[in-house]
């Protein structure tokens, strides 16, 4: 499974960005998808995730500002980020979990996209 994340960049405080993560590969059934972020010197933390049934978990630090969604037909994950703050600056990683047709589980990470919130 290959994951291609995009949409990061430099934005001023209060601005918005939309991240996308497209998953490709055959023979793999995707269950959960999620976004994580890692700021310099920090561990990688969950931002939000979404199940195959569209139930979501959102970190308290971004609740009310970030929205996670997915398009199952396109195997694409999104993160709409609004009212961005300097503390949101980090590399954002997408994660996909599921099962191969063989029955083996899979857990994959994208390459990361940098979000910088600064004036």
């Amino acid at each position: 499974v290959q994951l291609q994340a995009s949409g990061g960049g430099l934005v001023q405080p209060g601005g918005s960005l939309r991240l996308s993560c497209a998953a490709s590969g055959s023979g793999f059934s995707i269950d959960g998808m999620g976004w994580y972020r890692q700021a310099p010197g920090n561990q990688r933390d969950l931002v939000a995730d979404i199940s195959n049934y569209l139930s979501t978990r959102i970190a308290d630090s971004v609740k009310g500002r970030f929205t996670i969604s997915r398009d199952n037909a396109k195997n694409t994950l999104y993160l709409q980020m609004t009212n961005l703050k300097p503390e949101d600056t980090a590399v954002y990683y997408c994660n996909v979990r599921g099962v191969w047709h063989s029955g083996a589980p899979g857990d994959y990470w994208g390459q990361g996209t940098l979000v910088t919130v600064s004036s």
Side-chain angles (χ1 to χ4, degrees), residues 1 3 21 23 25 27-36 48-57 68-73 75-78 94-101 103-108:
V1 175
L3 302 178
C21 177
F28 186 76
S29 295
I30 296 174
D31 293 330
M33 306 179 82
W35 290 100
Y36 292 72
D49 67 12
I50 182 167
S51 75
N52 202 26
Y53 301 99
L54 306 184
S55 63
T56 61
R57 290 188 300 168
I68 190 170
S69 61
R70 63 190 280 178
D71 184 334
N72 288 337
N75 286 336
T76 301
L77 176 70
Y78 303 99
C94 59
N95 172 260
V96 166
R97 304 171 302 281
V99 181
W100 289 96
H101 288 182
D107 189 329
Y108 300 94

Side-chain angles (χ1 to χ4, degrees), residues 61-75:
S61 59
V62 304
K63 202 167 287 184
R65 300 188 296 121
F66 291 11
T67 302
I68 190 170
S69 61
R70 63 190 280 178
D71 184 334
N72 288 337
K74 296 180 179 179
N75 286 336

Side-chain angles (χ1 to χ4, degrees), residues 6-45:
S6 61
L10 173 64
V11 62
Q12 293 186 342
S16 299
L17 282 175
R18 188 193 196 206
L19 304 184
S20 300
C21 177
S24 61
S26 60
F28 186 76
S29 295
I30 296 174
D31 293 330
M33 306 179 82
W35 290 100
Y36 292 72
R37 67 185 182 186
Q38 186 168 20
N42 289 357
Q43 65 182 18
R44 189 176 297 186
D45 292 324

